[in-house]
Amino acid sequence: MAEIKKSWYKEMSVYQIWPRSFYDGNGDGIGDIKGVMEKLDYIKSLGVDAIWFSPLYKSPQHDYGYDIADYKSINPEYGTLEEFKELLDAAHAKGLKVIMDLVINHTSDEHQWFIESKKSKDNPYHDYYFWRKGKKPNGKKPPNNWLSTFTGPGWEYDENLDEWYLHLFCKEQPDLNMDNPKVREEIKDIIRFWLDMGVDGFREDVITFISKKEGLPNGFPIPAACGMEHYKCGPNLDKYLGEFREVTDQYDCMTVGEAPMMTPKLALRFIKEGAGQKLNMMFNFQHMEADCFMIGWIHTPFNLRKLKRVYNNWQTKLYGIAWNANYIENHDQPRIISRYGNEKYRVESGKMLATMYICQSGTPFIYQGQEIGMTSIRLPEIDMYKDVQAKDTYKLFRKLGFSHKFTMKTAMYASRDNARTPVQWTGGKNAGFTTADEPWFYINQNYTEVNVEAAEKDENSILNYYRKLLKFRKENEICIYGDFKLHYKNSRKLFVYERNYEGKRMLVINSFVEQPVCFSAPAGFDLSKGKLVLSNYEVADNTLNSFMTKPYETRVYLFE
Ligand code: NOJ
């Protein structure tokens, strides 16, 4: 069996903050750095070791911070650089590391580089972006057929230059031309800027898109993400990541790259440990597709077998040679209880889903509000949505002939806005998120029941379960470094796996359904010899090798 290399980034767990909706410290209805500062003790109390901040930088917020206007300053709505430094110090003083979002595939169209680049074709910044002539005969057609991943053409025309610029996301997010060595030097400078300040690593946004095929050839004509074969893991990606790694190698930091459409085999090219390694981990999307086809908006019934197949693949293919980044929620994904769990069994399924992924091999990431079992808001009218992706996808669906009713049903299930409602801190006004009259976005009306204050008081809350689970992981190396073996492979109801490490064994049993299922311990396991270390129900007799599961039951047995 492969010898596992130990490291701090493998042992940690990470809490993700999407700043706008975390906590408002200055009473203007928008989450901010002051708010995070006030909640540091709470974050620490979860038992996590690091915070990943979704972009805090100056940004016009067309894509809520993923459109950066200045990489070295803080969005005034969130605070100042001085306040950030204080937060960084305070977090470090509590033993919490800080991970920044590095968004370098594109900038905002309000970034100074872009403003310069569109002044003239001979401006020194012109070549920082992909400016191209339109198609003949009159140049009024985009240079190629690539589509924005947010729908619509991937190009925007500029009258003044009579040229088009590439944007793989919204038109306010022009793609940077990473083939220009000057751009790469700028990126290295940004990386150094934050690492010199003391941050502990980066989550790298759509990092596998940064190298585009020379000549930007037409893509295979499909209605979504057309052109992706020419920029996903493009020709110079390894080279560019290698250059950035030379910088990060000079610091004790970690990197996790966001990687859409990634497979374990392809991922190993970048994250296999050893000399050629480019990133420490990758966020893949495959396990988020058990209830949809590729993108959340093509909704399919939840398929546990598909989920298990994906997990099994990543867990076994990476074990001993690379490391997983495990998540079930983030700011782009609807709330997991509303997808793979069951709101009727919010507490039970919330705990089961937490166990299911945190007990696997990999670094766990927990998204704000996940730890109290927040659910999707399901906004009923398109005008209520804030997310550019939701608005654009709505338009596309309507254009493709889908009815308003069907499209809204889809939006309510799949929109990223489901994850972006303010964190519910109390059962009081505005869920305790802000003292302003109005928060910047709708608050899920279940806040009177689902909130941090109530969860703190309830020993059996999801919140307190997360604490136990993270403590267990920290105190038991098997939960961090153990291998992974799937049982009940074909079951559509149970997700059962074992882990082994240095002579110890662990058995993780999860039911994904409401109905009772007959569980029998896999061959070689005698539950009466193990210790039940985690569960979401009182178990009268935990020594029975066969039992009927309760709705969304989870149990973890440890054999020492
Ligand atoms: C991935 C980010 O998570 C998402 O929120 C953003 O819209 C795109 N990348 C573009 O930056």
PDB file of all heavy atoms in Angstrom, residues 18 63 66-67 103 106 150 169 173 203 205-206 258 330-332 416 420, ligand 1:
ATOM      1  N   TRP A  18     -18.314  33.679   2.063  1.00  0.00           N
ATOM      2  CA  TRP A  18     -18.723  34.499   0.912  1.00  0.00           C
ATOM      3  C   TRP A  18     -19.122  35.833   1.541  1.00  0.00           C
ATOM      4  O   TRP A  18     -20.207  35.952   2.125  1.00  0.00           O
ATOM      5  CB  TRP A  18     -19.891  33.813   0.188  1.00  0.00           C
ATOM      6  CG  TRP A  18     -20.158  34.340  -1.174  1.00  0.00           C
ATOM      7  CD1 TRP A  18     -19.414  34.127  -2.302  1.00  0.00           C
ATOM      8  CD2 TRP A  18     -21.265  35.163  -1.584  1.00  0.00           C
ATOM      9  NE1 TRP A  18     -19.980  34.763  -3.377  1.00  0.00           N
ATOM     10  CE2 TRP A  18     -21.121  35.404  -2.961  1.00  0.00           C
ATOM     11  CE3 TRP A  18     -22.359  35.723  -0.927  1.00  0.00           C
ATOM     12  CZ2 TRP A  18     -22.023  36.180  -3.692  1.00  0.00           C
ATOM     13  CZ3 TRP A  18     -23.260  36.488  -1.653  1.00  0.00           C
ATOM     14  CH2 TRP A  18     -23.086  36.706  -3.013  1.00  0.00           C
ATOM     15  N   ASP A  63     -20.188  39.960 -10.883  1.00  0.00           N
ATOM     16  CA  ASP A  63     -20.226  38.536 -10.537  1.00  0.00           C
ATOM     17  C   ASP A  63     -19.813  38.386  -9.071  1.00  0.00           C
ATOM     18  O   ASP A  63     -19.083  37.486  -8.697  1.00  0.00           O
ATOM     19  CB  ASP A  63     -19.297  37.746 -11.479  1.00  0.00           C
ATOM     20  CG  ASP A  63     -19.464  36.242 -11.321  1.00  0.00           C
ATOM     21  OD1 ASP A  63     -20.511  35.805 -10.792  1.00  0.00           O
ATOM     22  OD2 ASP A  63     -18.541  35.503 -11.715  1.00  0.00           O
ATOM     23  N   TYR A  66     -16.045  38.098  -8.273  1.00  0.00           N
ATOM     24  CA  TYR A  66     -15.221  37.319  -9.210  1.00  0.00           C
ATOM     25  C   TYR A  66     -14.890  38.150 -10.452  1.00  0.00           C
ATOM     26  O   TYR A  66     -14.414  37.637 -11.458  1.00  0.00           O
ATOM     27  CB  TYR A  66     -15.884  35.973  -9.532  1.00  0.00           C
ATOM     28  CG  TYR A  66     -15.734  35.034  -8.351  1.00  0.00           C
ATOM     29  CD1 TYR A  66     -16.696  34.980  -7.352  1.00  0.00           C
ATOM     30  CD2 TYR A  66     -14.588  34.261  -8.197  1.00  0.00           C
ATOM     31  CE1 TYR A  66     -16.533  34.171  -6.231  1.00  0.00           C
ATOM     32  CE2 TYR A  66     -14.415  33.450  -7.089  1.00  0.00           C
ATOM     33  CZ  TYR A  66     -15.386  33.411  -6.116  1.00  0.00           C
ATOM     34  OH  TYR A  66     -15.199  32.611  -5.012  1.00  0.00           O
ATOM     35  N   ASP A  67     -15.176  39.437 -10.362  1.00  0.00           N
ATOM     36  CA  ASP A  67     -14.768  40.409 -11.376  1.00  0.00           C
ATOM     37  C   ASP A  67     -13.937  41.450 -10.625  1.00  0.00           C
ATOM     38  O   ASP A  67     -14.471  42.353  -9.997  1.00  0.00           O
ATOM     39  CB  ASP A  67     -15.994  41.034 -12.058  1.00  0.00           C
ATOM     40  CG  ASP A  67     -17.070  41.509 -11.071  1.00  0.00           C
ATOM     41  OD1 ASP A  67     -17.263  40.867 -10.002  1.00  0.00           O
ATOM     42  OD2 ASP A  67     -17.703  42.542 -11.341  1.00  0.00           O
ATOM     43  N   VAL A 103      -8.316  35.015  -8.615  1.00  0.00           N
ATOM     44  CA  VAL A 103      -9.152  34.968  -9.830  1.00  0.00           C
ATOM     45  C   VAL A 103      -8.329  35.576 -10.964  1.00  0.00           C
ATOM     46  O   VAL A 103      -8.267  36.799 -11.109  1.00  0.00           O
ATOM     47  CB  VAL A 103     -10.460  35.764  -9.621  1.00  0.00           C
ATOM     48  CG1 VAL A 103     -11.402  35.560 -10.800  1.00  0.00           C
ATOM     49  CG2 VAL A 103     -11.136  35.369  -8.318  1.00  0.00           C
ATOM     50  N   HIS A 106      -9.632  36.032 -15.552  1.00  0.00           N
ATOM     51  CA  HIS A 106     -10.219  37.264 -16.068  1.00  0.00           C
ATOM     52  C   HIS A 106     -10.114  38.344 -15.007  1.00  0.00           C
ATOM     53  O   HIS A 106      -9.869  38.048 -13.836  1.00  0.00           O
ATOM     54  CB  HIS A 106     -11.695  37.030 -16.422  1.00  0.00           C
ATOM     55  CG  HIS A 106     -12.421  36.227 -15.390  1.00  0.00           C
ATOM     56  ND1 HIS A 106     -12.557  34.856 -15.455  1.00  0.00           N
ATOM     57  CD2 HIS A 106     -13.010  36.585 -14.215  1.00  0.00           C
ATOM     58  CE1 HIS A 106     -13.215  34.414 -14.400  1.00  0.00           C
ATOM     59  NE2 HIS A 106     -13.492  35.443 -13.622  1.00  0.00           N
ATOM     60  N   PHE A 150     -21.653  31.559 -19.068  1.00  0.00           N
ATOM     61  CA  PHE A 150     -22.896  32.120 -18.518  1.00  0.00           C
ATOM     62  C   PHE A 150     -23.952  32.286 -19.618  1.00  0.00           C
ATOM     63  O   PHE A 150     -24.878  33.056 -19.456  1.00  0.00           O
ATOM     64  CB  PHE A 150     -22.634  33.498 -17.900  1.00  0.00           C
ATOM     65  CG  PHE A 150     -21.931  33.455 -16.574  1.00  0.00           C
ATOM     66  CD1 PHE A 150     -21.367  34.613 -16.041  1.00  0.00           C
ATOM     67  CD2 PHE A 150     -21.837  32.295 -15.836  1.00  0.00           C
ATOM     68  CE1 PHE A 150     -20.733  34.605 -14.812  1.00  0.00           C
ATOM     69  CE2 PHE A 150     -21.199  32.276 -14.601  1.00  0.00           C
ATOM     70  CZ  PHE A 150     -20.636  33.442 -14.095  1.00  0.00           C
ATOM     71  N   PHE A 169     -16.756  34.360 -19.145  1.00  0.00           N
ATOM     72  CA  PHE A 169     -17.856  34.519 -18.180  1.00  0.00           C
ATOM     73  C   PHE A 169     -18.662  35.743 -18.631  1.00  0.00           C
ATOM     74  O   PHE A 169     -18.850  35.899 -19.835  1.00  0.00           O
ATOM     75  CB  PHE A 169     -17.300  34.573 -16.749  1.00  0.00           C
ATOM     76  CG  PHE A 169     -16.709  33.228 -16.379  1.00  0.00           C
ATOM     77  CD1 PHE A 169     -15.390  32.920 -16.678  1.00  0.00           C
ATOM     78  CD2 PHE A 169     -17.511  32.245 -15.840  1.00  0.00           C
ATOM     79  CE1 PHE A 169     -14.875  31.653 -16.425  1.00  0.00           C
ATOM     80  CE2 PHE A 169     -17.007  30.972 -15.583  1.00  0.00           C
ATOM     81  CZ  PHE A 169     -15.682  30.682 -15.870  1.00  0.00           C
ATOM     82  N   GLN A 173     -16.303  40.607 -17.514  1.00  0.00           N
ATOM     83  CA  GLN A 173     -15.150  39.823 -17.045  1.00  0.00           C
ATOM     84  C   GLN A 173     -14.240  39.430 -18.227  1.00  0.00           C
ATOM     85  O   GLN A 173     -14.215  38.263 -18.631  1.00  0.00           O
ATOM     86  CB  GLN A 173     -15.629  38.551 -16.333  1.00  0.00           C
ATOM     87  CG  GLN A 173     -16.307  38.814 -14.993  1.00  0.00           C
ATOM     88  CD  GLN A 173     -17.035  37.591 -14.460  1.00  0.00           C
ATOM     89  OE1 GLN A 173     -17.941  37.071 -15.100  1.00  0.00           O
ATOM     90  NE2 GLN A 173     -16.654  37.128 -13.284  1.00  0.00           N
ATOM     91  N   ARG A 203      -7.193  29.697  -3.214  1.00  0.00           N
ATOM     92  CA  ARG A 203      -8.148  28.902  -3.980  1.00  0.00           C
ATOM     93  C   ARG A 203      -8.140  29.565  -5.358  1.00  0.00           C
ATOM     94  O   ARG A 203      -8.364  30.772  -5.468  1.00  0.00           O
ATOM     95  CB  ARG A 203      -9.522  28.975  -3.317  1.00  0.00           C
ATOM     96  CG  ARG A 203     -10.646  28.298  -4.086  1.00  0.00           C
ATOM     97  CD  ARG A 203     -11.358  29.303  -4.965  1.00  0.00           C
ATOM     98  NE  ARG A 203     -12.529  28.722  -5.605  1.00  0.00           N
ATOM     99  CZ  ARG A 203     -13.207  29.320  -6.573  1.00  0.00           C
ATOM    100  NH1 ARG A 203     -12.841  30.495  -7.007  1.00  0.00           N
ATOM    101  NH2 ARG A 203     -14.256  28.745  -7.105  1.00  0.00           N
ATOM    102  N   ASP A 205      -9.423  30.271  -8.911  1.00  0.00           N
ATOM    103  CA  ASP A 205     -10.677  30.265  -9.668  1.00  0.00           C
ATOM    104  C   ASP A 205     -10.468  29.758 -11.102  1.00  0.00           C
ATOM    105  O   ASP A 205      -9.554  30.220 -11.796  1.00  0.00           O
ATOM    106  CB  ASP A 205     -11.201  31.709  -9.700  1.00  0.00           C
ATOM    107  CG  ASP A 205     -12.606  31.827 -10.237  1.00  0.00           C
ATOM    108  OD1 ASP A 205     -13.531  31.360  -9.563  1.00  0.00           O
ATOM    109  OD2 ASP A 205     -12.778  32.385 -11.336  1.00  0.00           O
ATOM    110  N   VAL A 206     -11.351  28.871 -11.558  1.00  0.00           N
ATOM    111  CA  VAL A 206     -11.288  28.275 -12.913  1.00  0.00           C
ATOM    112  C   VAL A 206      -9.871  28.254 -13.483  1.00  0.00           C
ATOM    113  O   VAL A 206      -9.636  28.664 -14.631  1.00  0.00           O
ATOM    114  CB  VAL A 206     -12.280  28.937 -13.912  1.00  0.00           C
ATOM    115  CG1 VAL A 206     -13.697  28.524 -13.598  1.00  0.00           C
ATOM    116  CG2 VAL A 206     -12.169  30.447 -13.975  1.00  0.00           C
ATOM    117  N   GLU A 258      -9.741  25.380  -8.719  1.00  0.00           N
ATOM    118  CA  GLU A 258     -11.092  25.008  -9.153  1.00  0.00           C
ATOM    119  C   GLU A 258     -10.999  24.459 -10.573  1.00  0.00           C
ATOM    120  O   GLU A 258     -10.406  25.079 -11.450  1.00  0.00           O
ATOM    121  CB  GLU A 258     -12.007  26.238  -9.133  1.00  0.00           C
ATOM    122  CG  GLU A 258     -13.459  25.877  -9.383  1.00  0.00           C
ATOM    123  CD  GLU A 258     -14.302  27.044  -9.878  1.00  0.00           C
ATOM    124  OE1 GLU A 258     -13.750  27.979 -10.494  1.00  0.00           O
ATOM    125  OE2 GLU A 258     -15.506  27.020  -9.660  1.00  0.00           O
ATOM    126  N   ASN A 330     -20.886  25.290  -1.826  1.00  0.00           N
ATOM    127  CA  ASN A 330     -20.119  26.528  -1.906  1.00  0.00           C
ATOM    128  C   ASN A 330     -21.057  27.601  -2.464  1.00  0.00           C
ATOM    129  O   ASN A 330     -22.261  27.367  -2.586  1.00  0.00           O
ATOM    130  CB  ASN A 330     -18.825  26.353  -2.720  1.00  0.00           C
ATOM    131  CG  ASN A 330     -19.069  25.980  -4.169  1.00  0.00           C
ATOM    132  OD1 ASN A 330     -20.060  26.399  -4.760  1.00  0.00           O
ATOM    133  ND2 ASN A 330     -18.176  25.200  -4.739  1.00  0.00           N
ATOM    134  N   HIS A 331     -20.496  28.752  -2.794  1.00  0.00           N
ATOM    135  CA  HIS A 331     -21.335  29.875  -3.239  1.00  0.00           C
ATOM    136  C   HIS A 331     -21.935  29.657  -4.631  1.00  0.00           C
ATOM    137  O   HIS A 331     -22.717  30.490  -5.082  1.00  0.00           O
ATOM    138  CB  HIS A 331     -20.485  31.149  -3.229  1.00  0.00           C
ATOM    139  CG  HIS A 331     -19.337  31.051  -4.185  1.00  0.00           C
ATOM    140  ND1 HIS A 331     -18.271  30.199  -3.966  1.00  0.00           N
ATOM    141  CD2 HIS A 331     -19.108  31.633  -5.371  1.00  0.00           C
ATOM    142  CE1 HIS A 331     -17.442  30.282  -4.984  1.00  0.00           C
ATOM    143  NE2 HIS A 331     -17.914  31.148  -5.859  1.00  0.00           N
ATOM    144  N   ASP A 332     -21.543  28.592  -5.317  1.00  0.00           N
ATOM    145  CA  ASP A 332     -22.085  28.310  -6.656  1.00  0.00           C
ATOM    146  C   ASP A 332     -23.097  27.169  -6.649  1.00  0.00           C
ATOM    147  O   ASP A 332     -23.647  26.823  -7.702  1.00  0.00           O
ATOM    148  CB  ASP A 332     -20.949  27.905  -7.613  1.00  0.00           C
ATOM    149  CG  ASP A 332     -19.988  29.042  -7.887  1.00  0.00           C
ATOM    150  OD1 ASP A 332     -20.415  30.207  -7.807  1.00  0.00           O
ATOM    151  OD2 ASP A 332     -18.810  28.757  -8.181  1.00  0.00           O
ATOM    152  N   ARG A 416     -27.615  29.691  -8.220  1.00  0.00           N
ATOM    153  CA  ARG A 416     -26.559  29.925  -7.229  1.00  0.00           C
ATOM    154  C   ARG A 416     -27.046  30.852  -6.110  1.00  0.00           C
ATOM    155  O   ARG A 416     -26.488  30.862  -5.020  1.00  0.00           O
ATOM    156  CB  ARG A 416     -25.329  30.540  -7.903  1.00  0.00           C
ATOM    157  CG  ARG A 416     -24.877  29.788  -9.141  1.00  0.00           C
ATOM    158  CD  ARG A 416     -23.496  30.192  -9.592  1.00  0.00           C
ATOM    159  NE  ARG A 416     -23.409  31.578 -10.042  1.00  0.00           N
ATOM    160  CZ  ARG A 416     -22.310  32.124 -10.540  1.00  0.00           C
ATOM    161  NH1 ARG A 416     -21.206  31.408 -10.658  1.00  0.00           N
ATOM    162  NH2 ARG A 416     -22.270  33.385 -10.928  1.00  0.00           N
ATOM    163  N   ARG A 420     -26.630  32.018  -1.545  1.00  0.00           N
ATOM    164  CA  ARG A 420     -26.066  33.336  -1.285  1.00  0.00           C
ATOM    165  C   ARG A 420     -26.916  34.197  -0.359  1.00  0.00           C
ATOM    166  O   ARG A 420     -26.660  35.391  -0.203  1.00  0.00           O
ATOM    167  CB  ARG A 420     -25.821  34.037  -2.623  1.00  0.00           C
ATOM    168  CG  ARG A 420     -24.828  33.250  -3.459  1.00  0.00           C
ATOM    169  CD  ARG A 420     -24.577  33.860  -4.809  1.00  0.00           C
ATOM    170  NE  ARG A 420     -23.525  33.113  -5.502  1.00  0.00           N
ATOM    171  CZ  ARG A 420     -22.970  33.474  -6.642  1.00  0.00           C
ATOM    172  NH1 ARG A 420     -23.352  34.589  -7.220  1.00  0.00           N
ATOM    173  NH2 ARG A 420     -22.029  32.735  -7.199  1.00  0.00           N
TER     174      ARG A 420
HETATM  175  C1  NOJ B   1     -16.042  30.194 -10.369  1.00  0.00           C
HETATM  176  C2  NOJ B   1     -16.591  30.967  -9.215  1.00  0.00           C
HETATM  177  O1  NOJ B   1     -16.758  30.095  -8.117  1.00  0.00           O
HETATM  178  C3  NOJ B   1     -17.889  31.573  -9.670  1.00  0.00           C
HETATM  179  O2  NOJ B   1     -18.619  32.140  -8.622  1.00  0.00           O
HETATM  180  C4  NOJ B   1     -17.585  32.579 -10.739  1.00  0.00           C
HETATM  181  O3  NOJ B   1     -18.778  33.079 -11.274  1.00  0.00           O
HETATM  182  C5  NOJ B   1     -16.749  31.969 -11.869  1.00  0.00           C
HETATM  183  N1  NOJ B   1     -15.709  31.101 -11.408  1.00  0.00           N
HETATM  184  C6  NOJ B   1     -16.100  33.060 -12.679  1.00  0.00           C
HETATM  185  O4  NOJ B   1     -15.101  33.680 -11.918  1.00  0.00           O
END
